[in-house]
Amino acid sequence: KRATELRDEILFTQPESSHLGDCPICCLPLSLDIQKSTLMPCCSNIICNGCDYANLIRELKGSLVLKCAFCRHPRISDEELELNLMKRVEANDSAAMCQIGGYRRNEGDYVTAFQHYSKAAELGDAHAHYLLTQMYYNGEGVKKDEKKEVYHLERAAIGGNPDARYDLGIAEWHKCRHARAVKHFIIAAKLGHDDYCEL
């Protein structure tokens, strides 16, 4: 019983911010909408599109060489993109692992995607835990496994992933544990997930 109480205490603790954190340039929280931020392949930092755009305008107006807004490395071509990400993977960069895993998953290479996501999850990446949840749910590269699915969903939620938190709320709701579901929904809403408002 005490172990369950401790697990729930960890699970229902409100994270300080979402799993994405803040833009390293302007220090504002990154949007949950992935279209509003950019992964810089040279340094694997995620920056908001506002900072990326401001840097681009500055460089274009000054006829400067286009560089990363964060590390100032010259922008790389599309051909160099995956090579550079693989270097970041070798350096144990979880964001690069998730990006390469996403490429492999889109190509249908679920086994390699699973390996990259697993390694990133071992490094504590909440988004990687959420992606593993999806793979266990869909049986992509692994056998469907509800226990592992829930485990990774909880790890992602604890790490501040609002989608994982919302999905946990839905799962609890379907199990008729409404009080627990509402707690998850409230935490997800505080992290910026607004689907709960439509229930």
Side-chain angles (χ1 to χ4, degrees):
K1 180 177 164 103
R2 179 67 182 140
T4 303
E5 289 174 2
L6 287 173
R7 184 178 147 274
D8 282 354
E9 186 177 319
I10 292 169
L11 185 60
F12 290 112
T13 299
Q14 171 74 37
E16 291 183 23
S17 65
S18 83
H19 65 293
L20 297 174
D22 299 334
C23 173
I25 297 172
C26 66
C27 299
L28 293 173
L30 289 167
S31 172
L32 297 178
D33 181 355
I34 60 170
Q35 301 298 319
K36 295 182 179 178
S37 59
T38 304
L39 173 72
M40 305 310 289
C42 46
C43 58
S44 290
N45 278 298
I46 300 173
I47 64 170
C48 69
N49 283 352
C51 290
D52 190 35
Y53 181 72
N55 181 59
L56 181 64
I57 294 298
R58 181 187 64 80
E59 291 171 342
L60 290 175
K61 281 185 178 178
S63 299
L64 304 171
V65 175
L66 300 181
K67 294 184 177 181
C68 169
F70 184 77
C71 72
R72 311 308 299 156
H73 186 277
R75 298 242 178 167
I76 60 177
S77 67
D78 290 341
E79 296 82 34
E80 297 174 305
L81 175 68
E82 194 164 329
L83 287 173
N84 202 56
L85 283 172
M86 288 307 294
K87 287 180 187 175
R88 300 295 307 162
V89 166
E90 291 168 10
N92 283 335
D93 187 316
S94 63
M97 289 175 194
C98 287
Q99 190 75 17
I100 292 291
Y103 292 160
R104 298 301 168 260
R105 189 174 177 196
N106 290 339
E107 295 167 356
D109 184 359
Y110 299 123
V111 173
T112 306
F114 180 80
Q115 291 170 347
H116 284 291
Y117 293 157
S118 295
K119 179 67 174 164
E122 286 174 17
L123 295 171
D125 191 291
H127 185 57
H129 279 291
Y130 187 66
L131 294 169
L132 285 171
T133 296
Q134 294 173 346
M135 294 190 82
Y136 278 114
Y137 178 79
N138 296 321
E140 296 173 341
V142 292
K143 286 176 62 175
K144 287 187 175 190
D145 188 331
E146 189 176 344
K147 284 188 177 185
K148 288 182 180 178
E149 175 191 341
V150 170
Y151 167 78
H152 287 290
L153 196 59
E154 287 179 351
R155 300 306 310 164
I158 290 168
N161 187 306
D163 293 324
R165 184 66 70 175
Y166 177 78
D167 290 351
L168 276 176
I170 293 293
E172 295 287 6
W173 191 269
H174 289 301
K175 293 177 185 174
C176 294
R177 294 190 261 185
H178 299 126
R180 291 175 63 87
V182 169
K183 286 181 184 179
H184 286 301
F185 291 145
I186 289 171
I187 294 171
K190 286 181 179 178
L191 291 173
H193 198 290
D194 57 1
D195 284 352
Y196 170 64
C197 301
E198 296 173 12
L199 285 178

